[in-house]
Amino acid sequence: MDADAARQALVALRAEVGKAVVGNDPVVTGLIIALLCRGHVLLEGVPGVAKTLLVRTVATALDTSTARLQFTPDLMPGDVTGSLVYDPHTAEFSFREGPVFTNLLLADEINRTPPKTQSALLEAMEERQVSVEGRPRPLPDPFIVIATQNPVEYEGTYPLPEAQLDRFLLKLTMPAPAREDEIGILRRHVEGFDPRDLGAAGVRAVAGAEHLAAGRAAVRAVTVAPEVLGYIVDVCRATRTAPSVRLGVSPRGATALLAAARAWAWLSGRGYVTPDDVKALARPALRHRIELRPEAELEGATADGLLERVLATVPVPR
């Protein structure tokens, strides 16, 4: 498939999602970038800002399968991956696939389940497979995990370990909508919008797996100048030496920023990465990989604030 046709289809996907979800174009763009990079997304927002609706709408517009898994304290690893089930008619065990066997897995409130179950996702996220009773079982392609977190309620939650946070390509935030957007949401409901019936809202498939495959091939051809590579490394290294930081961005974080910047450059119609592409993706690609010192957090420091200072002080190549 032609790369330009793939780009047009993926850009059209943003407008299609807008038929059901109001005012979240940056988040939709982030999900498209993650799909192009085969990366996973950590989606943070308070309840009621349409995180689940967003994922369902993207899956519909992309003509892919989706599954939602509500993480709870009693969720077991087999509830994620699937398990062997005994069939009394054949006197044999057969494998029953879990919800992880889908294209877009919505892991709702991932921090509400114990680390043992969280770790069940690690192999799926990194290797695109799950192992049950010692046998690896490949997952479909495309496959990405979109995990949600509630940034307010911490009682009864289990913070994600740094190793798992580092597996997410991007951390996207969904704030409460602006006043005009919220009025638009209410207007749609007055006109009969039903979030459970996306077809009635006019959402249709405008892209598919073939567009993603062509887009991924085109993204791999995007060139990156040595100066821009150095800029990415300098930004990441600056997070490791900041006084307020306990844990800075790892080399995996640098490769994630590179991949996201290349995808954004291609979506923007360019075959090369600019420093502005790096700046645009630095916060979503790096914010969840930074752990601040407790005393800095007490003083009001945030990962986004640190990245703002880093981007303002690291010399930009010309």
Side-chain angles (χ1 to χ4, degrees):
M1 174 178 288
D2 180 68
D4 289 335
R7 183 190 297 111
Q8 291 171 9
L10 292 174
V11 170
L13 183 104
R14 285 186 290 190
E16 199 66 20
V17 173
K19 294 179 179 179
V21 183
V22 179
N24 277 293
D25 280 352
V27 179
V28 177
T29 301
L31 292 179
I32 295 172
I33 288 173
L35 284 161
L36 286 169
C37 299
R38 302 184 75 200
H40 309 288
V41 173
L42 192 59
L43 194 58
E44 189 170 272
V46 298
V49 292
K51 297 187 292 295
T52 302
L53 176 62
L54 173 66
V55 176
R56 288 179 52 240
T57 309
V58 169
T60 301
L62 196 55
D63 196 21
T64 52
S65 64
T66 183
R68 178 179 177 270
L69 184 59
Q70 180 67 49
F71 279 70
T72 57
D74 60 349
L75 195 73
M76 299 299 291
D79 298 328
V80 177
T81 62
S83 57
L84 294 178
V85 178
Y86 181 73
D87 186 348
H89 298 291
T90 61
E92 293 180 349
F93 285 92
S94 60
F95 179 66
R96 181 176 294 171
E97 294 182 347
V100 76
F101 285 86
T102 188
N103 296 126
L104 275 65
L105 176 66
L106 177 61
D108 216 357
E109 292 189 292
I110 190 174
N111 58 336
R112 198 165 288 285
T113 199
K116 182 178 181 180
T117 305
Q118 289 177 8
S119 67
L121 274 180
L122 281 178
E123 182 186 15
M125 293 169 66
E126 192 68 19
E127 307 296 337
R128 262 65 184 187
Q129 67 176 29
V130 295
S131 296
V132 178
E133 297 296 325
R135 177 183 168 187
R137 302 175 188 271
L139 297 174
D141 184 39
F143 169 75
I144 70 168
V145 173
I146 304 168
T148 70
Q149 279 194 144
N150 182 343
V152 177
E153 188 179 357
Y154 292 108
E155 185 176 348
T157 63
Y158 302 82
L160 299 183
E162 288 77 10
Q164 187 169 1
L165 283 171
D166 213 29
R167 294 309 198 280
F168 288 97
L169 178 79
L170 303 174
K171 179 181 178 181
L172 306 174
T173 58
M174 288 186 69
R179 182 175 185 273
E180 289 303 316
D181 289 338
E182 197 161 359
I183 291 174
I185 293 170
L186 297 185
R187 186 182 300 116
R188 291 187 181 191
H189 280 269
V190 168
E191 294 169 353
F193 171 71
D194 183 357
R196 290 171 292 276
D197 188 358
L198 295 177
V203 179
R204 59 187 179 86
V206 296
E210 66 277 10
H211 296 99
L212 276 179
R216 288 171 181 169
V219 168
R220 288 193 293 269
V222 172
T223 60
V224 189
E227 296 81 7
V228 176
L229 288 177
Y231 180 57
I232 292 173
V233 169
D234 290 342
V235 167
C236 294
R237 290 178 66 87
T239 67
R240 302 171 200 161
T241 57
S244 60
V245 171
R246 192 172 81 88
L247 182 66
V249 175
S250 69
R252 182 187 283 125
T255 61
L257 178 54
L258 170 63
R262 293 176 84 187
W264 172 240
W266 178 76
L267 278 175
S268 302
R270 283 179 280 102
Y272 57 90
V273 176
T274 68
D276 284 341
D277 296 327
V278 177
K279 286 185 175 183
L281 274 299
R283 281 172 286 277
L286 304 181
R287 57 166 61 112
H288 56 296
R289 307 173 196 272
I290 296 171
E291 184 176 341
L292 298 173
R293 296 184 183 277
E295 57 269 26
E297 290 183 322
L298 287 173
E299 294 172 0
T302 63
D304 277 12
L306 171 71
L307 288 168
E308 289 282 357
R309 293 193 297 274
V310 165
L311 294 172
T313 55
V314 173
V316 179
R318 300 297 178 189

